[in-house]
């Protein structure tokens, strides 16, 4: 798999029934190792190990109800009150991050109202903080720690 713009992590990868799988620590099962999954697993480890997000407050492929259907957000991070603080959308490294990806995560956020959004293809990361009250957003140079994200969500109330 391609080297990504994340710290190096050791993953449990194996060959099962003629396919390569990777252990997803959050879902606690092996999943097919696709390029998008490679990005998702790196982001999960980054959230846990670099930003101190408790593993129990991360949901992978979280259902988002919209227009009588359910869509799936790649990663959702919750605070201790189970309020969404971050939605992340992961793409294959070969996928260029364009407006349609921002539109996708923006639609999810009309339901979730997360203060932080992240879009990544593993090579480029785009993070922003959302001011729902004033309908504005500001891009950040980096994703803040879990503590900072949850303090921000507490102050938004």
């Amino acid at each position: 798999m391609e080297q990504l713009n994340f710290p190096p992590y050791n993953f449990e990868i194996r060959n099962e029934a003629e396919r390569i799988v990777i252990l997803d620590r959050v879902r606690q099962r092996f999943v097919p190792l696709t390029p998008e999954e490679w990005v998702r697993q790196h982001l999960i480890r980054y959230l846990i190990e670099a930003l101190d997000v408790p593993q129990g407050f991360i949901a992978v492929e979280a259902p988002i109800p919209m227009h009588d259907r359910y869509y799936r957000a790649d990663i959702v991070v919750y605070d201790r009150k189970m309020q969404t603080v971050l939605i992340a959308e992961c793409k294959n490294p070969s996928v260029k991050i364009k407006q349609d990806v921002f539109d996708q995560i923006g639609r999810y956020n009309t339901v979730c109202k997360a203060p932080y959004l992240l879009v990544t293809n593993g090579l480029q990361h785009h993070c922003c903080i959302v001011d729902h009250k004033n309908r504005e957003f500001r891009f950040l140079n980096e994703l803040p720690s879990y503590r900072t994200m949850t303090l921000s969500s507490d102050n938004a109330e």
Side-chain angles (χ1 to χ4, degrees):
M1 284 285 165
E2 185 170 350
Q3 178 69 33
L4 301 177
N5 187 14
F6 285 104
Y9 298 111
N10 291 318
F11 295 100
E12 191 172 340
I13 298 172
R14 62 187 184 199
N15 194 333
E16 280 186 358
E18 303 296 320
R19 67 180 185 168
I20 306 296
V21 293
I22 187 169
L23 179 63
D24 181 324
R25 292 169 51 182
V26 173
R27 291 180 277 184
Q28 298 183 350
R29 63 183 169 91
F30 282 89
V31 296
L33 181 53
T34 63
E36 183 177 310
E37 193 63 47
W38 185 239
V39 173
R40 186 169 23 240
Q41 292 306 314
H42 274 80
L43 179 56
I44 288 168
R45 292 290 287 275
Y46 182 76
L47 291 170
I48 294 168
E49 295 180 25
L51 301 182
D52 297 321
V53 176
Q55 183 173 315
F57 290 102
I58 299 173
V60 178
E61 294 189 338
I64 308 286
M66 288 179 12
H67 311 294
D68 299 326
R69 292 185 58 194
Y70 280 91
Y71 295 84
R72 295 203 174 272
D74 282 314
I75 297 173
V76 176
V77 173
Y78 300 97
D79 65 14
R80 298 193 184 283
K81 298 175 192 169
M82 296 309 291
Q83 299 297 310
T84 305
V85 293
L86 168 71
I87 303 172
E89 185 61 31
C90 300
K91 296 296 182 191
N92 179 322
S94 68
V95 173
K96 292 196 183 316
I97 305 295
K98 295 183 186 175
Q99 186 62 47
D100 62 328
V101 181
F102 292 105
D103 293 344
Q104 177 184 6
I105 201 167
R107 283 190 301 274
Y108 295 164
N109 209 30
T110 62
V111 174
C112 298
K113 306 288 189 220
Y116 292 92
L117 301 176
L118 175 69
V119 173
T120 182
N121 64 3
L123 304 173
Q124 295 181 312
H125 317 295
H126 301 279
C127 169
C128 68
I129 185 166
V130 180
D131 177 346
H132 292 281
K133 184 177 175 185
N134 295 312
R135 300 181 61 125
E136 298 174 344
F137 65 92
R138 179 173 44 90
F139 280 94
L140 305 173
N141 292 329
E142 61 185 21
L143 194 59
S145 70
Y146 181 70
R147 181 171 163 35
T148 300
M149 284 190 276
T150 56
L151 287 174
S152 298
S153 69
D154 286 345
N155 293 336
E157 293 177 355

